[in-house]
Amino acid sequence: MALVLAGGMLLTACGGGSDGATADRNSSGRNAPGVSGGGHPAPDAPATGQGSRESEADRVREGRAEPDYRSTFALDVDTASYGYARRTLGDGRLPAAEDVRPEEFVNSFRQGYERPKGNGFSVNVDGARINSGKGGGGGTGASDWSLLRVGLATKAAPPTSGRPPAALTFVVDISGSMAETGRLDLVRKSLTILTDELRDDDSLSLVTFSNEAETRLPMTRVKDNRNRIKDVVSEMQPAQSTNVEAGIKLGYEESVEGHREGATNRVVLLSDALANTGDTEAEGILKKIDSARREYGITLFGVGVGSDYGDAFMEQLTNKGDGNTTYVGDEAQARKVFVDQLPAHLEIRARDAKAQVAFDRKNVKQFRLIGYENRKVADEDFRNDSVDGGEVGPGHTVTALYAVRLREGASGTVARATVRWLDPKTRKAQEETGTVTTGSVDGTLWGGENDRLQVAAVAAYFADRLRGGDLPGAPGLGELASRASGLAESTEDSAVEKLATAIGQADRLNRGVGTDDGPDPSEGEIG
C-alpha cells in the first residue's frame, strides 16, 4: 500500500524584495480569481516574474492535457462561516450547506505554526495517515489516504503602540431586521468596546444606512472624543430597509475624505448582510467605489451579526473589496474581534497573496483540496500579480488541508508549497516555499502527538459533514464530537471545547445522516 505522511516539517526559503518607506496608495486593478487549471508541478519563478508560458487550455487544444497536479488558490483568513454555523446550531438549526466553507472552520483555530522572523510568511508542511490503525475509528475509505496540512503564518502583531495609526470608517446597518436581539444592540456594544481600545492618534468616522445612508460622525481623532463617539453610537436605532449599496458608497466617500497618509485606511461594514434595496449584487456595489479602492488602497472588513445572516453576500463583498470577514454572535466574540484580534484586523502584511501546491506525479496518485472552492486561481496565474489574491494581516495563519493518496512504493518528494504575495508598501513580489517528502512517514492522524493537526482535521471533517461531502476517512459526527472533547482537554483550549459542543449539537439534529462514499478512483486533482 501507499506510503503515508506523518511528522511535520517546517521549511522556508527566502524570497526577494525589501520593505519601503512610502505608504501604498495605488492598489492596481485586478482580475477575479479564475478556475484551477492543470499541468506540471510549479516551475521556479521566471526571471520576468510572469506566469507560466503554456496554459492548460493550450494543452487541451493540442490533445496533450494531463491530470492536474497543481492546486492554486488565493489566501483566505475569513472565519465568518464557522461563527455563523455555531450561532445557527445554537438556535437549534443546521446551517445551509452553501454557507459552510471548510477553510473558514479550520482557520478559526490556533495551529501553533512557527512564525517568520521578518514580515513575510513561514511555510509549514506536515501530515499524517487518515485511518487510525489498531483501535480504529478513522471512517471508511481511508486505508491508503493521508491528510496533508499546508500552514502559512505571518509574524505576530506588534504591541498596540507599534502599529501604524488607523483611520476607520464604520458603516453600520440600522435596517428593520437589525432590531432583533443580537444585531444592532451587539453592534453598539462592539463599537463601544472598540472605542476604548483605539489609540489617541487613531481616527474614526461613522455612517449608518437603512433605505438611505447618513454620515453620523465625520472622520474624528479618538483623542478627547471617546465620549462623543460613544454618544453617537448609542443613538443608533433601527429604521427601514437594507440599502447596502448606499451605505458602502457613502462609507468609501467618507474614508477618502478622511484619508490619512501612513495610516491604515479601512472601511468596516457591520451588518446582517440581508440587502433588499438598491444594488443587491456584490460586484455591482463595489464597481461604484472602485476608483476609491484603487487610488487610495482602502480595504473592506466585514463583521456579520444576526441569526439570519447573508454570509455568502458578505464574503463576496469583502473578497472583492480586498479584505476579510468575521462573525460576531455575542459579547465574548465581540471582545475577541475588537480587542484580542484588533491589530490583525487593522494592519495588512501581505497583499494579493496566493498559494500553489505542486504535487509530484511520480508519488501522488490523487489529491483533493478541502474547501477554498470560491478562492481558486488558474495555475498559470499564480505569478500574474494583476490577478486578485488575499490580504493577510499580522499574526494571521492560513491553513490548507489536502486529502492525498500516494502511489504504491512512493519515495521522495510528495509536494512543494509556495506562497507569493506583494509587499503592501513597495508592491514588490516575494515568495517562500516549503517541501514535504515521503520520509516523514511515522504515525497516524488520530491519537498522534500533533494535537493541532487533529483539531484542524476535526474542523474540516465537521464542515464536510455539514455540507454532505464525501471526504475519504471522514468520521461520523458522534466520533468527531468525542475526538473534539478529548482534544479540548489535551489542548486546554476553550475554542476546541466550543467546537465539541457545536459538533454534538449537529449530531443530535442530524443523527444518522451522511455519506461514507469515497471519491472517484481516478488520478490528479479531484473534487
Side-chain angles (χ1 to χ4, degrees):
M1 299 304 294
L3 292 175
V4 291
L5 301 174
M9 298 177 65
L10 167 68
L11 299 118
T12 59
C14 295
S18 58
D19 292 337
T22 304
D24 171 44
R25 287 190 52 180
N26 185 14
S27 178
S28 60
R30 276 157 290 200
N31 303 318
V35 296
S36 180
H40 299 281
D44 292 333
T48 60
Q50 299 302 310
S52 60
R53 299 188 188 96
E54 185 179 44
S55 70
E56 174 69 4
D58 294 332
R59 290 188 290 274
V60 170
R61 280 194 296 270
E62 297 177 18
R64 297 185 293 110
E66 296 176 323
D68 185 5
Y69 276 82
R70 284 185 291 172
S71 173
T72 309
F73 58 93
L75 300 197
D76 188 358
V77 296
D78 293 353
T79 59
S81 176
Y82 174 66
Y84 182 46
R86 280 187 53 213
R87 167 66 185 265
T88 303
L89 290 166
D91 289 343
R93 298 178 290 122
L94 287 169
E98 61 268 22
D99 290 336
V100 176
R101 291 183 291 280
E103 67 275 16
E104 298 189 21
F105 279 53
V106 173
N107 285 331
S108 296
F109 298 93
R110 293 197 301 272
Q111 297 295 319
Y113 301 138
E114 184 174 330
R115 300 282 180 176
K117 295 180 180 180
N119 288 329
F121 287 88
S122 64
V123 181
N124 307 258
V125 190
D126 64 0
R129 189 170 69 240
I130 290 178
N131 69 318
S132 60
K134 191 174 181 179
T140 62
S143 60
D144 57 349
W145 285 84
S146 298
L147 193 70
L148 179 72
R149 179 175 63 166
V150 177
L152 309 173
T154 56
K155 186 178 178 180
T160 300
S161 59
R163 67 167 172 82
L168 307 175
T169 299
F170 289 89
V171 178
V172 179
D173 184 349
I174 59 168
S175 61
S177 62
M178 293 290 287
E180 175 192 290
T181 300
R183 299 194 186 198
L184 187 56
D185 61 320
L186 185 57
V187 169
R188 286 194 293 259
K189 183 66 176 178
S190 298
L191 290 179
T192 299
I193 292 171
L194 175 69
T195 301
D196 288 330
E197 289 299 313
L198 291 175
R199 297 193 321 226
D200 287 349
D201 62 342
D202 292 328
S203 301
L204 182 153
S205 62
L206 180 63
V207 170
T208 60
F209 68 92
S210 55
N211 58 318
E212 295 180 347
E214 176 185 357
T215 299
R216 298 294 187 97
L217 184 72
M219 193 64 73
T220 302
R221 289 294 175 102
V222 173
K223 182 180 180 180
D224 299 329
N225 286 299
R226 296 183 197 274
N227 289 336
R228 177 189 174 194
I229 293 170
K230 291 178 181 179
D231 288 342
V232 174
V233 168
S234 67
E235 292 168 359
M236 295 188 300
Q237 296 297 326
Q240 302 175 39
S241 55
T242 311
N243 192 338
V244 177
E245 174 195 356
I248 290 181
K249 186 173 181 294
L250 182 57
Y252 270 82
E253 290 173 358
E254 287 294 332
S255 186
V256 169
E257 180 68 24
H259 183 271
R260 291 175 58 186
E261 291 285 353
T264 300
N265 295 273
R266 190 154 226 195
V267 172
V268 183
L269 174 64
L270 298 103
S271 173
D272 58 17
L274 301 176
N276 55 25
T277 303
D279 195 334
T280 59
E281 297 295 327
E283 187 169 353
I285 291 172
L286 291 175
K287 278 183 179 179
K288 295 177 174 62
I289 48 86
D290 189 57
S291 61
R293 290 171 52 220
R294 288 187 292 106
E295 183 177 355
Y296 292 93
I298 298 168
T299 58
L300 179 63
F301 175 42
V303 181
V305 296
S307 58
D308 188 12
Y309 164 57
D311 177 66
F313 177 64
M314 181 72 91
E315 193 213 16
Q316 291 167 9
L317 279 173
T318 56
N319 282 351
K320 294 177 182 293
D322 302 328
N324 60 292
T325 184
T326 190
Y327 180 87
V328 171
D330 53 36
E331 186 175 337
Q333 289 176 314
R335 289 191 176 277
K336 180 178 179 180
V337 170
F338 292 113
V339 179
D340 301 339
Q341 300 175 343
L342 183 61
H345 293 312
L346 292 185
E347 191 180 349
I348 293 178
R349 286 283 174 83
R351 281 188 178 273
D352 292 321
K354 310 184 194 83
Q356 183 168 93
V357 181
F359 292 88
D360 191 319
R361 66 178 64 246
K362 298 190 302 295
N363 292 317
V364 175
K365 182 177 182 181
Q366 291 176 280
F367 65 92
R368 173 182 291 184
L369 174 60
I370 303 174
Y372 290 96
E373 287 87 357
N374 62 353
R375 302 294 282 161
K376 285 188 176 181
V377 174
D379 293 334
E380 58 266 29
D381 285 333
F382 176 59
R383 294 190 173 100
N384 182 349
D385 295 327
S386 69
V387 173
D388 195 18
E391 276 60 47
V392 182
H396 270 134
T397 61
V398 179
T399 299
L401 294 178
Y402 289 86
V404 178
R405 176 182 263 170
L406 299 186
R407 298 183 188 277
E408 185 174 356
S411 178
T413 300
V414 174
R416 181 175 61 183
T418 304
V419 58
R420 180 181 178 89
W421 73 98
L422 301 183
D423 183 279
K425 294 180 180 179
T426 66
R427 304 292 294 183
K428 289 184 178 180
Q430 302 183 58
E431 293 187 6
E432 297 279 356
T433 297
T435 304
V436 65
T437 71
T438 54
S440 301
V441 290
D442 184 22
T444 59
L445 174 62
W446 305 118
E449 296 181 356
N450 195 331
D451 287 345
R452 289 297 169 183
L453 175 59
Q454 294 180 65
V455 170
V458 168
Y461 284 133
F462 177 36
D464 191 65
R465 285 291 183 184
L466 288 177
R467 63 178 189 171
D470 59 354
L471 283 174
L477 289 172
E479 182 184 336
L480 285 174
S482 176
R483 292 197 180 281
S485 294
L487 289 166
E489 183 175 348
S490 62
T491 61
E492 298 182 344
D493 188 339
S494 61
V496 182
E497 184 177 351
K498 291 174 182 177
L499 173 63
T501 299
I503 298 173
Q505 291 168 332
D507 186 34
R508 289 188 291 274
L509 289 168
N510 196 32
R511 196 179 303 276
V513 177
T515 176
D516 287 322
D517 294 337
D520 181 64
S522 57
E523 287 195 7
E525 183 174 12
I526 59 177

